[in-house]
Amino acid sequence: MIEKFKIRNEETEITNLKISPNGKQMVYVLDRNGKYKIYLQDLEGENRRKLLRGGLKAFNLPDDSNYPLLSWSRKGDKLAIIYEKRDKVMLEVRDFEEPEESIIDEVTRFQQIIGMCFSRSSKKLILSAANKGQSDIFTYYIPNQKTTQITKDPYDDIDPAYFYNETMEGILWVSNRYSDT
């Protein structure tokens, strides 16, 4: 088990950290002035692997901490990463059980993706995304990139979360609505 985190530079910060559903791994982003690296860390040992790096070092621009976004699938066999590359929003889904099934796609429908999580299926994501300055909730089917809009109103919808139990399932999100109807 990891007892301490070593960060080599004071300017480096952890901007996103997610523990896998089985509790054996974590993925995190180390950001240093806009340049980031995403690491997969084994929690039962000290093995660490760099998954992705990107961003631009910008000393005199404000940090854009919107990207990268991370989300584990329910089984913990897949990791979704949303990041920007050359002003394009990219989705990378890493499949740890079948690496040849991993994908990288450009997501063209949205100006910005604000939040995401996997649905019950590891083939579908729930997204909070902005179009024309308005954030709404969408489902995104990974194999064919099909999107379905769940909300379409003037309210801001962020931080989607998928839930299910024996009697029901659905999507929860944070909104600035005045009421829930």
Side-chain angles (χ1 to χ4, degrees):
M1 181 157 181
I2 295 177
E3 294 180 14
K4 60 183 174 180
F5 238 168
K6 289 185 180 178
I7 297 179
R8 296 180 187 177
N9 190 310
E10 293 175 7
E11 297 170 357
T12 302
E13 62 182 321
I14 298 172
T15 59
N16 201 339
L17 183 141
K18 302 285 183 183
I19 306 289
S20 67
N22 64 12
K24 294 182 179 181
Q25 296 174 310
M26 72 176 172
V27 64
Y28 58 93
V29 178
L30 290 182
D31 188 303
R32 182 174 182 206
N33 297 323
K35 274 189 93 72
Y36 63 82
K37 294 177 184 174
I38 301 173
Y39 288 99
L40 178 67
Q41 177 82 42
D42 180 13
L43 293 175
E44 296 175 344
E46 296 202 14
N47 296 333
R48 179 174 89 159
R49 180 172 56 145
K50 186 179 359 173
L51 298 178
L52 185 69
R53 64 186 173 114
L56 296 170
K57 194 175 276 194
F59 292 105
N60 39 349
L61 293 175
D63 286 341
D64 179 12
S65 59
N66 295 324
Y67 296 115
L69 300 173
L70 308 170
S71 182
W72 287 101
S73 66
R74 296 280 169 191
K75 291 185 348 185
D77 59 331
K78 293 183 181 173
L79 176 70
I81 306 168
I82 292 182
Y83 58 97
E84 259 186 340
K85 184 173 185 178
R86 297 187 180 109
D87 291 331
K88 295 179 181 177
V89 178
M90 305 298 291
L91 167 67
E92 183 169 339
V93 179
R94 296 271 180 124
D95 190 323
F96 296 110
E97 290 183 357
E98 298 179 41
E100 68 278 355
E101 296 292 321
S102 296
I103 61 146
I104 299 175
D105 285 324
E106 180 183 352
V107 182
T108 58
R109 171 131 193 238
F110 309 111
Q111 293 170 321
Q112 182 180 23
I113 297 175
I114 302 160
M116 75 164 162
C117 68
F118 273 95
S119 70
R120 192 173 193 175
S121 162
S122 62
K123 293 183 179 187
K124 189 184 286 186
L125 292 169
I126 311 299
L127 304 176
S128 169
N131 258 345
K132 300 176 187 167
Q134 180 60 47
S135 65
D136 286 305
I137 303 295
F138 299 83
T139 59
Y140 182 90
Y141 189 63
I142 296 167
N144 65 7
Q145 302 178 346
K146 182 180 181 217
T147 60
T148 303
Q149 190 163 2
I150 305 297
T151 63
K152 186 176 183 178
D153 52 35
Y155 301 105
D156 293 324
D157 303 322
I158 58 172
D159 295 331
Y162 182 81
F163 80 97
Y164 68 96
N165 61 26
E166 300 82 36
T167 59
M168 63 181 148
E169 64 182 289
I171 303 168
L172 303 173
W173 66 87
V174 175
S175 177
N176 63 350
R177 289 174 172 76
Y178 298 114
S179 68
D180 62 355
T181 58

